Amino acid sequence: MMALAQLRKLDRYIVPVLVLAGWEAFSRSGALPAALLPAPSTVVWAWADWLVGTDGNTQTYSGHWLADMLASLSRVAAGFAIATLLGVSIGVAIGWSRKIEVVIEPTLQMIRPIPPVSWIPLAIIWFGIANKPAIFLVFLGAFFPILLNTIHGVKTCDRNLIRAGAMVGGSERKLLRYIVVPAAMPSIFAGLRIGIGSAWMLTVTAEMVAVKSGLGYVLWDSYYFLRYDLVLAAMASIGLLGFCSDLAIRFVMARVLHWQRNTTLRGGE
């Protein structure tokens, strides 16, 4: 049984290993110039130098991965925190109050279809070339998924639970705190997971145009110098950090929604 369990744990690595092996074989076949499609081993070599400065092959970026990662991570954390605070607060208000929904939601629904990248010129004019426009774009990317999922979670709260709470004397504030918001938490966490992915995508876009640091800036700068190994290393770094961010949210979700563990198909996932 233990051997079977170990094999099941290895299942998740089968597809990544096959993809990397196929990529390595194709790159070394000569079908494309090696500079245009570097092999995974070449990307790992460049990534290692960017990370710890092994041989200086990434030149000015050698040994600067941690600083670039922290620059991007700080922008994501700031933008995502603001989006979470506003998205959940406004979402609960819209979902709970018909009056607030009528007043606010039409405006938000008109703004929502505007692609976040189209805000770049205004963001630069408003905030200049620094962290602020990048954080603003990250906020835009994360805000609407969180907002919409929160509204959905509040609106789909079981009406019988609210009636039962009201019958035992619960005030509107207590109904929101002890019934509506807890019932909406699965939808809110779904919005947070979508929002963190959008936040990382917008970070790269913002760093390409608004700042001169971070993983997105390295990716774009490496493209100009035809260093596609470093471009792929930057893409892999962003993917890895996005994956870790999602894991962190799932970790919190599993503990906040511990009551789901034995009542749903996949427990707290």
Side-chain angles (χ1 to χ4, degrees):
M1 292 297 289
M2 290 185 62
L4 184 60
Q6 291 295 328
L7 284 175
R8 285 177 178 172
K9 287 183 179 178
L10 294 176
D11 286 351
R12 66 185 65 185
Y13 302 109
I14 292 175
V15 172
V17 169
L18 289 176
V19 169
L20 290 174
W23 175 9
E24 182 80 29
F26 183 77
S27 296
R28 293 183 179 279
S29 69
L32 285 175
L36 296 182
L37 183 62
S41 55
T42 306
V43 174
V44 170
W45 191 254
W47 199 354
D49 183 64
W50 185 18
L51 184 64
V52 294
T54 53
D55 61 0
N57 74 80
T58 57
Q59 301 176 350
T60 56
Y61 294 117
S62 181
H64 287 86
W65 184 87
L66 185 61
D68 293 323
M69 184 274 290
L70 289 175
S72 295
L73 186 62
S74 63
R75 291 171 192 131
V76 169
F80 184 70
I82 298 170
T84 300
L85 182 64
L86 292 181
V88 173
S89 302
I90 298 174
V92 170
I94 290 175
W96 179 251
S97 170
R98 176 64 181 163
K99 186 176 180 180
I100 295 176
E101 180 184 11
V102 170
V103 172
I104 296 179
E105 194 175 31
T107 304
L108 292 175
Q109 291 298 349
M110 283 192 288
I111 296 174
R112 186 171 67 88
I114 301 172
V117 292
S118 65
W119 289 87
I120 289 176
L122 289 177
I124 293 175
I125 291 171
W126 291 340
F127 302 111
I129 303 294
N131 281 330
K132 290 180 181 177
I135 293 172
F136 174 69
L137 292 172
V138 170
F139 159 75
L140 283 178
F143 174 71
F144 287 104
I146 297 171
L147 174 75
L148 294 180
N149 278 275
T150 302
I151 294 173
H152 171 77
V154 172
K155 284 189 173 181
T156 55
C157 179
D158 192 336
R159 189 183 295 271
N160 292 326
L161 290 177
I162 299 174
R163 285 176 177 167
M167 287 177 65
V168 297
S171 62
E172 187 169 322
R173 185 176 177 180
K174 287 184 177 178
L175 292 177
L176 274 172
R177 180 178 178 183
Y178 294 109
I179 296 178
V180 176
V181 172
M185 289 306 288
S187 292
I188 293 173
F189 272 107
L192 293 178
R193 293 187 64 189
I194 299 171
I196 193 66
S198 300
W200 276 108
M201 286 189 279
L202 265 298
T203 299
V204 174
T205 304
E207 289 176 347
M208 285 178 178
V209 296
V211 294
K212 293 188 178 300
S213 63
L215 300 174
Y217 176 74
V218 173
L219 189 155
W220 197 239
D221 194 48
S222 302
Y223 160 73
Y224 277 119
F225 291 98
L226 306 179
R227 286 297 305 267
Y228 297 122
D229 51 350
L230 200 51
V231 168
L232 290 167
M235 292 170 64
S237 300
I238 293 163
L240 181 63
L241 290 169
F243 177 71
C244 292
S245 302
D246 184 64
L247 276 183
I249 293 176
R250 289 172 61 184
F251 178 81
V252 175
M253 182 175 70
R255 276 139 189 84
V256 173
L257 304 180
H258 57 86
W259 47 270
Q260 278 193 329
R261 193 163 298 158
N262 298 319
T263 59
T264 60
L265 184 61
R266 298 294 298 273
E269 294 184 8

